[in-house]
Amino acid sequence: MIPILRNQPHTLQVLGEARAQAVGRILGAALQAVEPAHAVRQHLARRGEVLLAAGRTYDLRRLRHLWLIGAGKAAVPMAWAVAEVLGEDLSGGLIITKYGHGGPLAASLRARGVVTHEAGHPLPDAHGVAATHTLLEHLATCNDQDLVLLVLSGGGSALLTAPAEGISLEDLQHLTSLLLACGASIHEINTLRKHLDRVKGGGLARLAAPAHLLVLVLSDVVGDPLDVIASGPAVPDPTTYADALAILERYGLTPQVPPAILAHLQRGAAGAIPETPKPGDPLFERVHTLIVGNNYQAAQAALTQARSEGFHALLLTTHLQGEASQAGRFLAALARQVATTGEPLPRPACLILGGETTVTLRGDGRGGRNQEVALGAVADLAGLEEVLLLTLATDGGDGPTEAAGAVVSGASLARAQALGLNPHAYLARNDSHTFFHALDDLLITGPTQTNVNDLAFLFAF
């Protein structure tokens, strides 16, 4: 059994114990490298009465309060690490995380005056709105002698939600569903979110002023753009209301969005509503932001472990994007190249790719982008011997399913056909979860408490 997995996928069983354990150690190394508490401790430390944050120093004797707030799937372990560093000087705070992600550390935080609220993701819900309202009440008491430590990770956009005036939660939920279904990128989705919410797109920094803000970010966006991660609540926003309207037009969504949303964006584009804070705004002179972990760190750790396991290993990219099923075909082509020519690496080989694909929903099946990547590779991997593709959502949750990804080998197509399963039909209805459940080839980790996009591993033994 691979240590990080709660199940034992069929395709890993047939590898043999030694190979399966090696694969497990490679996956485990990737996740351990971006374990949130560890990542925070690499960037935040205390020396007496001085707080050190990657070259920035804060004299704790000159501060009135130290508040700890945050949002995201990894927010609780990140906050716990911050609380450990601050000790008795921590004044209290509030964390918002996804349902099921609080865990035992939430109780430890409560003992230090930091309350954890669980809320909806990927669709925002009333619990997230209520928790954000309470968080903003905390910020309203701050002055220029206070330091607010903000921890952010993937999922923060949905969890930290304060709809703009005139916009209802139901409006935001409907828009989010439309955007997730049409294949819009996270950059496009968050451009809209930033212009429909009071805390996103630098809004939290505006509401926290004049307090000092120290922001610790675990990145879940390809390339680590700070204005996109969790919709950039504490950084300048380069996008505009006009950009948001253009995205709706691009995907043909303008007639489908709630009238209140369309009217709000149009008023903003006309200058009737203030824009989000832009680069150069003096507001951000009191804000210091650090990225404490990202997909590249996870992929590098996997690379190092793969080499120690005896593989010829190569990190190809951490910028894998595009339609998930097509990415699967690309990965299958890479696998076939390795298997037939020994290029770019001879056997035993391990190719590592990171990033985040998208799924355009055309059917009513169940799945997620990692499972769809794997399903897209099934036909093109057929017949390859001792070749394996493994896809992994680093947060342990791929789409609205309990799986983190799936496993495919050269035998997967024949096994599927023996069960009467046609991978093309399952792709057509976006039903990757049902397909791999039937093959007993889902990867199930449970919540990993981290979130740095996705990883794909190609093995040729």
Side-chain angles (χ1 to χ4, degrees):
M1 172 67 74
I2 292 179
I4 70 166
L5 294 181
R6 293 183 177 179
N7 67 329
Q8 193 167 8
H10 172 86
T11 294
L12 293 183
Q13 292 180 43
V14 300
L15 278 180
E17 186 68 17
R19 287 178 175 177
Q21 290 295 334
V23 170
R25 286 189 292 269
I26 293 168
L27 270 62
L31 294 179
Q32 180 57 39
V34 288
E35 190 280 318
H38 171 76
V40 168
R41 291 191 196 98
Q42 298 304 301
H43 294 80
L44 190 71
R46 180 171 178 170
R47 300 290 182 266
E49 296 302 312
V50 177
L51 184 66
L52 306 173
R56 181 71 64 94
T57 62
Y58 298 88
D59 187 343
L60 300 182
R61 293 167 297 185
R62 298 190 177 191
L63 295 172
R64 186 184 66 141
H65 290 130
L66 295 172
W67 296 106
L68 174 55
I69 62 174
K73 299 175 189 176
V76 168
M78 292 178 76
W80 180 78
V82 173
E84 288 288 291
V85 171
L86 296 179
E88 296 299 319
D89 287 315
L90 179 60
S91 303
L94 185 149
I95 302 299
I96 311 172
T97 194
K98 183 180 178 180
Y99 292 119
H101 284 59
L105 290 180
S108 299
L109 285 171
R110 179 176 285 275
R112 295 174 179 267
V114 180
V115 179
T116 299
H117 295 260
E118 296 189 352
H121 177 276
L123 295 181
D125 68 4
H127 289 95
V129 172
T132 303
H133 178 74
T134 303
L135 184 149
L136 295 180
E137 289 179 338
H138 274 293
L139 292 183
T141 69
C142 294
N143 65 25
D144 61 0
Q145 295 179 345
D146 293 335
L147 174 63
V148 178
L149 294 102
L150 170 62
V151 294
L152 290 174
S153 60
S157 290
L159 298 164
L160 190 65
T161 299
E165 185 177 354
I167 305 296
S168 70
L169 173 61
E170 292 73 22
D171 290 338
L172 290 179
Q173 290 171 331
H174 182 61
L175 176 65
T176 303
S177 295
L178 290 173
L179 291 167
L180 291 173
C182 77
S185 71
I186 191 62
H187 295 71
E188 294 168 323
I189 293 171
N190 285 359
T191 294
L192 279 150
R193 284 168 161 167
K194 286 186 286 189
H195 289 88
L196 297 166
D197 193 291
R198 294 190 296 127
V199 297
K200 297 175 173 59
L204 188 68
R206 179 183 278 164
L207 293 167
H212 298 269
L213 263 178
L214 173 57
V215 189
L216 306 178
V217 179
L218 191 70
S219 173
D220 72 323
V221 181
V222 174
D224 306 331
L226 291 174
D227 68 294
V228 179
I229 302 166
S231 296
V235 296
D237 175 28
T239 69
T240 66
Y241 283 103
D243 294 331
L245 286 168
I247 292 166
L248 295 180
E249 289 289 336
R250 186 176 307 138
Y251 290 97
L253 298 179
T254 303
Q256 302 177 54
V257 300
I261 283 181
L262 187 59
H264 180 86
L265 296 176
Q266 289 172 338
R267 289 180 62 217
I273 301 174
E275 260 292 357
T276 48
K278 301 304 177 198
D281 192 317
L283 169 69
F284 299 105
E285 293 174 3
R286 290 177 172 270
V287 181
H288 183 49
T289 301
L290 301 172
I291 292 179
V292 300
N294 59 15
N295 187 263
Y296 180 77
Q297 292 177 15
Q300 279 288 339
L303 179 70
T304 299
Q305 185 66 35
R307 288 172 174 166
S308 75
E309 300 286 348
F311 289 95
H312 301 104
L314 180 65
L315 171 56
L316 286 180
T317 183
T318 54
H319 293 263
L320 182 65
Q321 299 179 79
E323 190 69 26
S325 60
Q326 294 304 308
R329 296 202 66 183
F330 168 69
L331 293 175
L334 285 175
R336 190 165 292 276
Q337 184 78 8
V338 171
T340 57
T341 71
E343 295 291 341
L345 294 174
R347 296 177 186 257
C350 174
L351 300 180
I352 302 167
L353 302 93
E356 182 172 300
T357 60
T358 55
V359 175
T360 302
L361 291 179
R362 299 183 176 88
D364 58 358
R366 294 187 72 222
R369 57 183 182 262
N370 288 277
Q371 293 162 80
E372 185 137 331
V373 167
L375 184 54
V378 169
D380 291 346
L381 281 178
L384 293 182
E385 295 185 0
E386 297 201 303
V387 168
L388 182 78
L389 168 62
L390 185 150
T391 61
L392 176 71
T394 59
D395 64 354
D398 186 37
T401 76
E402 81 286 5
V407 190
V408 187
S409 74
S412 295
L413 180 60
R415 291 181 56 226
Q417 291 173 335
L419 295 173
L421 307 177
N422 181 340
H424 298 295
Y426 281 83
L427 270 178
R429 59 177 180 266
N430 303 115
D431 204 13
S432 54
H433 184 273
T434 303
F435 181 90
F436 286 111
H437 184 270
L439 291 183
D440 192 22
D441 268 335
L442 293 170
L443 288 179
I444 300 176
T445 65
T448 64
Q449 299 293 304
T450 193
N451 186 16
V452 292
N453 300 120
D454 305 323
L455 292 168
F457 301 87
L458 285 169
F459 293 96
F461 298 97

